[in-house]
Amino acid sequence: MNKERFEKQLAFILEADKEKNIFRQTHLIGYERRENDAEHAWHMAMMIYLLKEYANEEFDVAKAMMMALVHDIVEIDAGDTYAYDTKALQTQKEREEKAADRLFGMLPEDQRDELRALFEEFEAGESAEARFARVMDNFQPLLLNHANDGADWRAHEVKRSQVFGRQQTSSKGSTEIWNYTRELIDANVEKGNIIEDRQLHL
């Protein structure tokens, strides 16, 4: 065993535990509390495996699952950025790049480069794996919001154009899930959970 390498890996593993304390705006089903980043990442990875048949193209499932597990780890330093917080979104990239430098930098060089590359690939959203992982990043909170009868959307007075704008990139990774997403958006607009702010049907 290379003790120095092992200790770096353990240090990163323990640091990653802090992701369990980064709470998102989305609530768990039942609305008892908000979910944390680690729960979100785990749920995404599970969904990637279970829903892989709906991807637009073949992809490396294990790689996409690993992307899901590391994509939000930067929020240990950068904090969660709510999808509809326009002010926070302006500084998100800078905050997360700085966090990536520190957090992935804790690892041995080969694993530092491997995990950083997965993080960057997810952010770019250009590979088949990243496209489908990003579908799950969009779809997972949408499912929870829908299951909670839109309580988070109502609490934040979220508009249809905001939800549609965030979700429409899902079509790049899964046309079938995007079509289902549109049905959920429509259903929640009709219920009044999402504010209708456009005259034309999208």
Side-chain angles (χ1 to χ4, degrees):
M1 175 187 287
N2 181 326
K3 190 173 181 181
E4 181 181 356
R5 177 182 177 85
F6 187 60
E7 287 178 350
K8 285 183 177 181
Q9 291 165 328
L10 292 184
F12 179 83
I13 288 167
L14 292 175
E15 190 71 6
D17 187 68
K18 294 178 181 178
E19 194 174 357
K20 299 172 186 174
N21 288 317
I22 307 299
F23 288 89
R24 296 163 48 80
Q25 293 299 318
T26 306
H27 282 72
L28 302 180
I29 293 173
Y31 217 72
E32 292 182 8
R33 66 167 174 84
R34 291 184 294 158
E35 72 170 350
N36 64 50
D37 271 358
E39 291 166 332
H40 167 64
W42 161 80
H43 215 184
M44 273 179 62
M46 179 74 76
M47 291 169 67
I48 286 168
Y49 179 79
L50 293 174
L51 302 179
K52 59 184 183 290
E53 65 198 82
Y54 305 108
N56 289 345
E57 57 196 317
E58 293 291 323
F59 68 98
D60 183 330
V61 175
K63 181 179 179 183
M65 291 174 72
M66 195 62 203
M67 276 185 191
L69 293 174
V70 303
H71 84 289
D72 271 348
I73 200 166
V74 294
E75 294 186 359
I76 289 170
D77 287 0
D80 175 58
T81 301
Y82 184 46
Y84 308 122
D85 185 340
T86 53
K87 185 176 180 181
L89 287 170
Q90 292 175 4
T91 62
Q92 181 181 12
K93 184 172 178 60
E94 180 183 351
R95 287 182 285 112
E96 291 188 351
E97 286 293 326
K98 184 177 179 181
D101 289 342
R102 184 186 81 81
L103 290 160
F104 296 128
M106 296 176 68
L107 285 162
E109 288 186 9
D110 60 321
Q111 292 184 325
R112 175 200 67 194
D113 294 346
E114 180 184 1
L115 294 195
R116 181 64 180 265
L118 285 173
F119 169 76
E120 299 290 355
E121 186 175 336
F122 176 87
E123 290 296 305
E126 295 174 355
S127 67
E129 292 78 17
R131 281 191 288 269
F132 196 69
R134 289 168 71 94
V135 173
M136 297 301 103
D137 195 29
N138 290 339
F139 193 45
Q140 188 265 352
L142 183 98
L143 277 180
L144 293 187
N145 277 326
H146 177 69
N148 283 325
D149 196 29
D152 285 319
W153 287 319
R154 284 186 273 109
H156 292 280
E157 298 182 337
V158 174
K159 299 176 176 62
R160 180 194 176 119
S161 60
Q162 293 175 298
V163 182
F164 190 90
R166 175 171 175 81
Q167 295 287 333
Q168 65 182 344
T169 59
S170 291
S171 63
K172 297 177 182 178
S174 174
T175 301
E176 291 183 272
I177 291 176
W178 166 232
N179 288 337
Y180 183 76
T181 293
R182 291 179 63 158
E183 293 177 12
L184 290 189
I185 294 171
D186 287 344
N188 282 279
V189 168
E190 289 175 13
K191 288 181 179 179
N193 296 333
I194 298 172
I195 298 168
E196 176 62 272
D197 63 340
R198 294 193 177 186
Q199 297 298 317
L200 298 177
H201 181 74
L202 292 169

